[in-house]
Amino acid sequence: MGSTTDPPGGSYLNLGAVTSPVGTTRLLQLAFGCTTFSLVAHRGGFDAAYGTFCMSAWCFCFALTGLVVAFEFTRLHGCLRLSWGNFTAAFAMLATLLSATAAIVYPLYFTRLECPPEPEGCTARDFRLAASVFAALLFVTYATEVVLTRARPGQVTSYMATVSGLLKIVQAFVACIIFGALVHDSRYGRFVATQWCVAVYSICFICTVVVVGMSVTGRAGTLGFPFDRIVVVYTFLAVLLYLSAAVVWPVFCFDPKYGTPSRPSGCPQGNCPWDSQLVVAIFTYVNFLFYVADLAYSQRIRLVPSL
């Protein structure tokens, strides 16, 4: 059996996957990510839910970035039943949010300028400071990838690379923060009105995840109706739903008739229902603004499902 020097479809390896600006950025992500969780695991240390979240976020981003680089370098991503452009854009935005959160949480809870008592000592402090620096650099590299791959005006690109698509990831991420505060003794079950708010958060989160899933799997173009118009209609309804939650939740949590306007003096730090209610209220307004921005930007794009 004979062979040729070059395969019929061109080179098997895609050098641009590691030499292009996006490829170089991904290599830096691998380097900074590996350095960050190695420093923490070796001597920096972590504990409790906050430390576990940071390590999980760094390891998850490192593993997925490694797979993205490997699949693009070997051109195997063409064998996957995914819309690769949508997948990489969605993952870059999610990794940006995760790495940003970890870059804030880890120094806040674990990094101090003073040396901790033995046996940790100053060595542990130095490792934690170094890990905090590399965690910040990791966030910068993921944010850089989002900037490099974001759709420009008039450019034909994947839906998840548009501002509207990126906002879908942010909306789902903020909803997860809301859910975390809800389950942390927020007492949302006291009133039907607050239960309605929970239903709003859940419905919008599920619909947003479905939109992202349809885009990433490339199924948006297989539907028997214009997917982009359905997304716009859903976004408009989500704005109305979040507007109702933004009005109802503060009234039934902070109005003197139903709740407490100010934080109770005897409420324990870190385990106070009022704190959880405040977090939910703040991020309800944040997500409402994201949905409004999404609705505004969605008027300017047209879906190209094949990308």
Side-chain angles (χ1 to χ4, degrees):
M1 180 179 293
S3 63
T4 58
T5 304
D6 296 319
S11 175
Y12 287 119
L13 300 180
N14 177 21
L15 294 180
V18 293
T19 59
S20 65
V22 174
T24 304
T25 301
R26 288 172 178 163
L27 293 180
L28 290 175
Q29 292 165 3
L30 292 174
F32 293 152
C34 183
T35 303
T36 301
F37 64 71
S38 297
L39 289 170
V40 173
H42 181 55
R43 291 296 297 273
F46 67 97
D47 54 23
Y50 299 111
T52 303
F53 166 78
C54 293
M55 281 295 286
S56 300
W58 293 325
C59 293
F60 170 78
C61 294
F62 176 81
L64 262 293
T65 301
L67 288 176
V68 168
V69 172
F71 275 103
E72 288 210 349
F73 185 66
T74 58
R75 301 183 189 272
L76 289 177
H77 64 278
C79 302
L80 301 177
R81 293 185 177 181
L82 292 175
S83 175
W84 188 250
N86 281 315
F87 173 76
T88 54
F91 167 66
M93 189 70 246
L94 177 60
T96 300
L97 296 172
L98 288 174
S99 59
T101 305
I104 295 172
V105 170
Y106 188 80
L108 186 64
Y109 285 94
F110 299 98
T111 304
R112 298 289 184 273
L113 294 179
E114 302 81 11
C115 294
E118 296 296 339
E120 293 180 330
C122 291
T123 302
R125 179 206 62 180
D126 296 340
F127 271 78
R128 290 172 182 173
L129 287 172
S132 299
V133 172
F134 279 99
L137 292 174
L138 180 64
F139 158 68
V140 171
T141 55
Y142 279 114
T144 301
E145 180 180 351
V146 172
V147 172
L148 290 175
T149 58
R150 183 177 66 85
R152 303 298 189 270
Q155 179 183 5
V156 179
T157 186
S158 305
Y159 170 73
M160 296 306 302
T162 65
V163 174
S164 182
L166 296 174
L167 283 173
K168 292 290 189 299
I169 304 297
V170 180
Q171 292 158 6
F173 188 82
V174 172
C176 290
I177 298 176
I178 294 176
F179 291 141
L182 285 172
V183 300
H184 192 63
D185 195 23
S186 64
R187 299 179 181 177
Y188 64 85
R190 294 185 303 163
F191 305 105
V192 175
T194 52
Q195 294 177 23
W196 159 256
C197 295
V198 176
V200 168
Y201 306 141
S202 302
I203 293 171
C204 292
F205 174 76
I206 292 172
C207 292
T208 299
V209 170
V210 169
V211 170
V212 174
M214 294 292 289
S215 300
V216 169
T217 57
R219 301 299 177 87
T222 63
L223 303 177
F225 49 83
F227 185 71
D228 50 346
R229 294 191 180 184
I230 296 299
V231 171
V232 172
V233 172
Y234 152 65
T235 306
F236 174 69
L237 293 177
V239 169
L240 298 180
L241 290 172
Y242 258 90
L243 178 60
S244 69
V247 174
V248 170
W249 183 268
V251 170
F252 281 83
C253 289
F254 306 119
D255 189 274
K257 183 178 179 180
Y258 306 101
T260 307
S262 58
R263 191 179 192 275
S265 57
C267 208
Q269 187 72 27
N271 194 29
C272 182
W274 192 89
D275 293 343
S276 297
Q277 294 168 0
L278 180 63
V279 171
V280 172
I282 291 174
F283 282 97
T284 296
Y285 284 106
V286 170
N287 230 12
F288 169 69
L289 294 177
F290 282 138
Y291 276 106
V292 171
D294 187 2
L295 182 63
Y297 275 102
S298 62
Q299 308 300 312
R300 303 163 55 184
I301 63 174
R302 291 296 179 269
L303 181 64
V304 183
S306 61
L307 292 177

